[in-house]
Amino acid sequence: MARTETAGNLITRAKERADMENSNFISDAEWYRSLNVWTARLWNLLVKADPDRYTRAQTLAADGSTVYDCAADYMGTVRVDYQTDSSQSIWVEIPRLYGTEENRLIQDQSDYPRGYTFRYNATTPSTQQITILPPSSYAMRHLYIVAPPSYATDGTDSAELVMGISGFEEYVVIGMAIDARIKEESSVVQLRQSQADITAHLEEAAENRSVSDAGHVTDVRSSGYIDAAGIRWGRRDF
């Protein structure tokens, strides 16, 4: 079972690390702002070390649309696929288009998607959109990195999603303590060293995506293999 911590508990731990348990020098709002900043920083480190752990799939409707809103928790795109054969669940990656590249596809009358690009919703700038060219009736999926959580100010939010890995929440706790001590104009040398040690441990441990799976080189050249049923499996070239 994953480790869980509420936002309130993380702030309490940060006050202890900063030796400010009984101090009101830092307001609750400041503690929460610091919590969200350091949570986002930890999230970026974890995503960099193991992006698959923080990837979700968004289904794009097979209705011939061109523009789709990205998911509300969208942070960044891993890839976009379209399904060539639903009976065999065959998915093909769609390349991303840059700059004027999309102009080459405007008059393309084929029904399968050849590329994707991004837009911002003109009426709601906070909504990022993904554009598929040309419009397609194929089933598609958008694999994306989930954005870091933002904790409310009532202290009840669970931090399980980002903190439930080997006690890495201590990185956030120390970060908040550093912010508090800096505002107090106190020394942060020991806290920074502690955080550096945690960062080194995090970068090493988070890369172990599976305790039984060593790092390996991806095979992009072999012609495949034949399974027990006599079916040949191999790499597709598109």
Side-chain angles (χ1 to χ4, degrees), residues 36 70 107 112 153:
N36 285 322
C70 292
Q107 301 301 321
Y112 70 90
T153 58

Side-chain angles (χ1 to χ4, degrees), residues 58-61 65-71 74 76-81 94-97 115-121 127-133 140-144:
Q58 173 190 6
T59 299
L60 305 181
S65 297
T66 299
V67 180
Y68 303 84
D69 287 344
C70 292
Y74 170 82
T77 294
V78 176
R79 70 175 191 272
V80 180
D81 303 329
I94 306 170
R96 180 175 178 178
L97 302 176
Y116 69 92
T117 185
F118 293 101
R119 298 282 190 278
Y120 273 104
N121 189 324
T127 302
Q128 185 152 310
Q129 297 176 319
I130 187 167
T131 301
I132 305 296
L133 294 172
M140 291 173 286
R141 64 185 181 187
H142 174 209
L143 277 70
Y144 67 95

Side-chain angles (χ1 to χ4, degrees), residues 165-168 195-207:
I165 309 172
S166 301
F168 290 152
Q195 191 178 58
D197 293 342
I198 294 174
T199 301
H201 170 63
L202 185 153
E203 290 175 345
E204 177 182 359
E207 290 180 353

Side-chain angles (χ1 to χ4, degrees), residues 97-108 119 133:
L97 302 176
Y98 294 89
T100 59
E101 290 177 333
E102 62 184 89
N103 292 335
R104 293 182 295 175
L105 304 180
I106 297 300
Q107 301 301 321
D108 193 322
R119 298 282 190 278
L133 294 172

